Amino acid sequence: SLQGRTEGSWLQPSAMSSSVSLDFSSFTLRGIKGQGRLDIRKQGPLVSFDEIEVSLGQATTSAAGTYHLDTQEMTARLQADGIRLSELTPPALLEEWDAVATSIKVDIWGRFPKLAGQVDISLDDVKLRETKLPSLLVMARSDGRTAKVECRLESSQVLASGAVDLEHPYSMESSVDLSALPLNPLLHGLFPSTPEDAHLEAQGRLDFSLPLARFEELAYRAQVDQIVGTYGGVEGETGSTFAVVGDRDSLTIDELNLIGTDTAIAIKGRIPVSTTSTFDLQLYGDAKLTLLNQLLEAVELEGHASLDLHLSGSRDEPNPIGELRIDNGAVTWNRIRGSGVTATVTAREGRTY
């Protein structure tokens, strides 16, 4: 329905007041049924959005606000519930993630386009592939030039904080507390072949920069003070502080020294994060052989060995190349077991000798 009142000449009319009401009893978006309502009124230079309501599947959104055509002053309030990320079209960086925004609250005020405001978002059912992650609360406060952002866990512990420049390309600088990061579900989500008993805790800080208009330019650096964990039944920790740098495709470790039960390993090189990147990783030192069973198909090792390996291949199909020197170990290969073994195992281009 449309209503209006005009004044002025026939050739130069002036709209003094008008209103528009639209009622969508039913529509479909990407296969999801919805309905909506929109009421807009204009009285002189003041435009009022009295009622905007949209329901799409399980998601609902309502909004209201005003805009002054002369002064460009604006106020707006939006409330949304039940929006699932996978039902939208996320950028490539988030294509393996999913979550439900159980609550989104937005308040905006000021002169367009320099708007101040605040945003509160509650995220539940957060997943990386099929791995469930903790629920999150994201809060943002803006003065019209910069938005300060903070992300908290359910326990109210601050996971990350930072700032976003509100001019294109909307550069974001942020830091993450590694002790609050859910490393164990992230580890299993990013690397499906990780043993179920693997456990990881870290102390340190992760700094990253991200132009929100260009997700492909993500870059980060971590200064890690300590890591304590378990892998393949071996407990260990880092011997010193080390650094990790990376982007959306991979991360690179600047010599990490791991010390554990009968184990001392140095690790250096690239680890893939996306499916388009590959390993370029060096591992050398002395280790319990059970650590290597995840890398060698059809071979199960026990005992102790010295190793000098280079890992290539994709994230889902790693390819170890190098040598293991076994001293008084045990090997099971194709159901054949040998103990008291002293040998050299050579892995080259996907084959083990």
Side-chain angles (χ1 to χ4, degrees), residues 276-350:
T276 60
S277 184
T278 57
F279 280 102
D280 183 11
L281 194 66
Q282 294 284 345
L283 301 94
Y284 53 92
D286 300 311
K288 292 186 70 173
L289 291 172
T290 52
L291 286 171
L292 304 173
N293 288 334
Q294 298 298 317
L295 306 178
L296 302 173
E297 294 185 5
V299 178
E300 184 176 338
L301 305 174
E302 299 175 29
H304 192 267
S306 298
L307 69 151
D308 186 354
L309 290 175
H310 176 258
L311 194 61
S312 60
S314 68
R315 183 184 68 187
D316 297 325
E317 296 182 1
N319 178 34
I321 298 175
E323 290 186 347
L324 302 174
R325 293 179 295 277
I326 302 172
D327 183 18
N328 196 27
V331 179
T332 301
W333 179 55
N334 288 341
R335 299 183 180 180
I336 301 174
R337 177 180 171 80
S339 59
V341 176
T342 299
T344 298
V345 179
T346 302
R348 297 193 184 281
E349 298 299 331

Side-chain angles (χ1 to χ4, degrees), residues 95-341:
E95 62 187 5
E96 294 183 317
W97 297 75
D98 196 10
V100 176
T102 54
S103 175
I104 301 176
K105 296 180 181 179
V106 181
D107 285 289
I108 297 174
W109 61 87
R111 179 173 294 179
F112 188 84
K114 301 293 185 180
L115 300 173
Q118 60 186 43
V119 179
D120 296 293
I121 304 174
S122 296
L123 296 174
D124 290 330
D125 197 23
V126 183
K127 292 181 179 179
L128 171 57
R129 299 177 189 162
E130 296 303 317
T131 303
K132 186 172 177 58
L133 300 173
S135 298
L136 300 172
L137 174 62
V138 181
M139 298 169 287
R141 304 292 183 265
S142 168
D143 61 4
R145 297 178 298 274
T146 303
K148 294 182 178 180
V149 183
E150 186 175 88
C151 180
R152 294 177 177 266
L153 300 173
E154 287 180 294
S155 62
S156 297
Q157 183 179 9
V158 177
L159 173 61
S161 60
V164 181
D165 187 346
L166 296 181
E167 293 186 358
H168 194 274
Y170 310 106
S171 297
M172 180 176 184
E173 303 286 338
S174 184
S175 62
V176 178
D177 180 0
L178 293 183
S179 67
L181 200 64
L183 291 175
N184 293 304
L186 283 173
L187 181 66
H188 289 86
L190 290 171
F191 307 105
S193 60
T194 301
E196 293 185 4
D197 65 345
H199 179 76
L200 196 62
E201 296 178 9
Q203 298 288 332
R205 172 173 163 165
L206 169 65
D207 296 310
F208 69 89
S209 62
L210 172 65
L212 296 179
R214 297 194 288 263
F215 270 70
E216 67 277 6
E217 296 182 14
L218 168 69
Y220 54 88
R221 176 182 175 84
Q223 189 72 23
V224 185
D225 299 324
Q226 185 183 38
I227 290 180
V228 177
T230 302
Y231 184 93
V234 177
E235 296 181 356
E237 62 181 54
T238 53
S240 60
T241 299
F242 68 98
V244 178
V245 296
D247 53 30
R248 60 170 290 183
D249 292 319
S250 64
L251 59 88
T252 300
I253 299 174
D254 178 18
E255 196 140 335
L256 162 62
N257 295 305
L258 293 175
I259 301 173
T261 309
D262 298 326
T263 298
I265 301 177
I267 302 174
K268 183 178 182 180
R270 183 181 67 238
I271 299 175
V273 175
S274 72
T275 55
T276 60
S277 184
T278 57
F279 280 102
D280 183 11
L281 194 66
Q282 294 284 345
L283 301 94
Y284 53 92
D286 300 311
K288 292 186 70 173
L289 291 172
T290 52
L291 286 171
L292 304 173
N293 288 334
Q294 298 298 317
L295 306 178
L296 302 173
E297 294 185 5
V299 178
E300 184 176 338
L301 305 174
E302 299 175 29
H304 192 267
S306 298
L307 69 151
D308 186 354
L309 290 175
H310 176 258
L311 194 61
S312 60
S314 68
R315 183 184 68 187
D316 297 325
E317 296 182 1
N319 178 34
I321 298 175
E323 290 186 347
L324 302 174
R325 293 179 295 277
I326 302 172
D327 183 18
N328 196 27
V331 179
T332 301
W333 179 55
N334 288 341
R335 299 183 180 180
I336 301 174
R337 177 180 171 80
S339 59
V341 176

